[in-house]
Amino acid sequence: MEVLISLSFALVGGLLMSRLAKVLNLPAVTAYLVAGLLLGPYCIGGLNLLGVGFNTPAEVAHLDVISQVALGFIAFTIGNEFRLEQLRHMGRQAITIGIVQAVFTTFLVDAALVALHFVNPSLISVSSAITLGAIAAATAPAATLMVVRQYKADGPLTKLLLLVVAIDDAVGLVLFSASFGVASALESGSVSVLTVLVEPVVEIGLSLALGGAAGWVLYRVERFFHSRSKRLSISIGFVLLTVGLSMVEFELGGVRCGFSLLLVCMMTGTVFCNICDFSEELMGRVDSWTAPLFVLFFVLSGAELNLKVLSNPLVLLIGVVYIAARSLGKYLGAFGSCAATGCGESITRYLGITLLPQAGVALGMALTAQQLDGGEVVRNVVLFSVLVYELVGPALTKRALIAAGEIKAEGRTSARKKNEPKKPVRLGE
């Protein structure tokens, strides 16, 4: 009973907060996160009122399956952007930019935090600094996708952004696995080749293979049905299946094998959209079905944000350095790689700004990093940065897309009619 009441408060509260955000000209994503923050255990939830908000972090953690499913649908949707025609047009640019900006960001954050260590070794260890540098490479696809959807953004920057965000996950996974292996070696005195090189490559390979197989099977099963509602149900069922399978872990020949949820679901969407002739129509129906799920995802993400980290001056200092170095790395890395690959002026100027949001993937990496001696510092710094990036990032993404001319001014706001630009009013009318 309490869970259902809490979820209803989360859904309705997030939607009501979005009306306030519209008045303030902020993206709905920011509203959902703020609603979650208010309903979380560090605000209204802490009052312990029956069903009103989430009373403890454990209550939010128990609803993690909702977040996992939402991430699966987000990745599946982004995978549908990898259409062959689009890849032929900007695939080389997307891969180059995705790799360069992630590696450059990791290098810059590593340099800044290691320098902080040498200034005052008691602030942060070298192993923690290296790990945070790799976590900095990760970009949150969820917030980006929601801003693009809400404002119906379209154009070269938007298309390239969705491709780069998808590639970013694979690059971030390799960087984190390698950096975490090096950090562990610094603490233990021994280097594991399996951890540093083999396991991340195996995880990416297995994820792509599982996602590709799921996309092909989904298409074959869809062909047995002609009803739109049944095809929608099959699609939902397959995304749930891939989310579940991506949580499987096993060991083979001494190598720990697992899957990346985002990569599996992205690959499923990519294969499906390229071999299915009715994928665009079906994706429109999936998008409408997942709308309330995404609202819950962001409200729960807001409820997870730990306000206690703001009371620790040490975390704030390291967090400010981390945020400054990561933001500079994302912007300069994207700017330089865009210029080198011949992107247009608007893409070169604004892509880096749209890559700032950071959330679920980074938090997952931080959870793994807690095995280090300074793991608690890593986790708290990431929590602080996520708090900042999730509240500010969507608004910056919106402004960048507006500046690039890929978000049009809205006219009519009825949900039943397509938005059109407002017509100028002439004197005498």
Side-chain angles (χ1 to χ4, degrees):
M1 179 188 71
E2 291 182 21
V3 171
L4 292 176
I5 294 174
S6 296
L7 287 177
S8 70
F9 266 92
L11 185 58
V12 176
L15 292 171
L16 289 175
M17 186 64 72
S18 70
R19 302 311 299 169
L20 176 60
K22 189 175 181 65
V23 174
L24 298 175
N25 205 27
L26 293 172
V29 177
T30 304
Y32 303 149
L33 290 164
V34 171
L37 202 60
L38 294 175
L39 292 171
Y42 305 102
C43 199
I44 295 175
L47 300 176
N48 292 317
L49 300 176
L50 178 64
V52 180
F54 306 98
N55 303 145
T56 63
E59 287 187 20
V60 183
H62 288 155
L63 298 171
D64 184 58
V65 66
I66 295 176
S67 298
Q68 296 297 312
V69 170
L71 277 175
F73 279 101
I74 288 166
F76 182 69
T77 301
I78 292 178
N80 272 267
E81 299 296 325
F82 281 78
R83 297 182 182 272
L84 289 178
E85 182 180 351
Q86 196 161 307
L87 288 175
R88 292 190 192 101
H89 179 61
M90 56 176 59
R92 181 180 63 85
Q93 289 178 327
I95 293 172
T96 302
I97 295 167
I99 294 174
V100 171
Q101 57 84 24
V103 172
F104 185 76
T105 300
T106 295
F107 171 78
L108 202 60
V109 175
D110 278 345
L113 294 179
V114 170
L116 188 63
H117 165 78
F118 284 114
V119 170
N120 189 342
S122 64
L123 286 176
I124 186 172
S125 65
V126 174
S127 58
S128 297
I130 292 174
T131 305
L132 278 169
I135 294 174
T139 300
T144 303
L145 179 64
M146 287 295 286
V147 171
V148 169
R149 274 188 177 180
Q150 180 184 354
Y151 297 103
K152 301 178 178 64
D154 189 31
L157 174 58
T158 301
K159 290 182 172 63
L160 182 61
L161 169 61
L162 293 176
L163 295 178
V164 170
V165 166
I167 293 167
D168 195 72
D169 182 58
V171 179
L173 175 64
V174 173
L175 289 173
F176 176 75
S177 298
S179 296
F180 182 69
V182 172
S184 299
L186 288 174
E187 292 188 350
S188 65
S190 61
V191 179
S192 172
V193 178
L194 285 179
T195 302
V196 176
L197 297 176
V198 178
E199 290 184 356
V201 174
V202 168
E203 182 169 336
I204 291 174
L206 288 175
S207 299
L208 296 178
L210 175 59
W216 182 82
V217 174
L218 171 59
Y219 168 65
R220 301 302 299 181
V221 173
E222 292 278 15
R223 288 171 62 88
F224 286 108
F225 301 91
H226 301 286
S227 165
R228 292 177 178 177
S229 59
K230 290 179 179 177
R231 282 179 170 176
L232 172 63
S233 300
I234 291 295
S235 299
I236 293 169
F238 261 80
V239 174
L240 294 176
L241 175 64
T242 52
V243 170
L245 291 177
S246 68
M247 297 177 183
V248 174
E249 292 186 357
F250 58 94
E251 191 169 306
L252 187 63
V255 178
R256 188 190 65 81
C257 301
F259 302 92
S260 164
L261 182 152
L262 290 176
L263 283 182
V264 171
C265 294
M266 281 178 191
M267 193 61 180
T268 302
T270 299
V271 171
F272 179 69
C273 78
N274 281 291
I275 63 177
C276 179
D277 55 354
F278 52 83
S279 63
E280 288 194 42
E281 178 193 357
L282 190 56
M283 281 308 302
R285 289 181 164 270
V286 171
D287 290 347
S288 63
W289 183 87
T290 55
L293 180 64
F294 290 170
V295 174
L296 283 176
F297 169 75
F298 286 106
V299 173
L300 290 173
S301 297
E304 285 181 327
L305 298 178
N306 189 346
L307 295 180
K308 287 184 178 180
V309 298
L310 299 177
S311 63
N312 189 334
L314 174 64
V315 171
L316 294 181
L317 174 60
I318 300 173
V320 168
V321 174
Y322 172 86
I323 290 172
R326 180 181 182 271
S327 300
L328 188 62
K330 285 289 180 182
Y331 184 79
L332 293 181
F335 187 95
S337 53
C338 284
T341 54
C343 294
E345 182 182 353
S346 62
I347 294 177
T348 303
R349 289 180 61 185
Y350 299 116
L351 179 64
I353 299 174
T354 64
L355 296 174
L356 293 182
Q358 188 175 47
V361 177
L363 290 172
M365 292 177 176
L367 188 63
T368 302
Q370 283 190 280
Q371 301 172 28
L372 299 172
D373 289 341
E376 193 63 28
V377 173
V378 173
R379 178 179 176 275
N380 287 334
V381 169
V382 172
L383 281 171
F384 172 63
S385 70
V386 167
L387 176 64
V388 174
Y389 278 125
E390 282 297 89
L391 295 177
V392 177
L396 291 176
T397 298
K398 176 193 173 184
R399 288 183 176 274
L401 292 174
I402 289 175
E406 299 192 6
I407 291 180
K408 308 300 181 185
E410 292 186 342
R412 295 189 300 243
T413 56
S414 170
R416 298 180 179 85
K417 298 178 182 179
K418 183 180 178 181
N419 283 330
E420 296 177 355
K422 292 180 179 179
K423 295 181 180 180
V425 178
R426 297 179 182 176
L427 293 176
E429 292 185 352

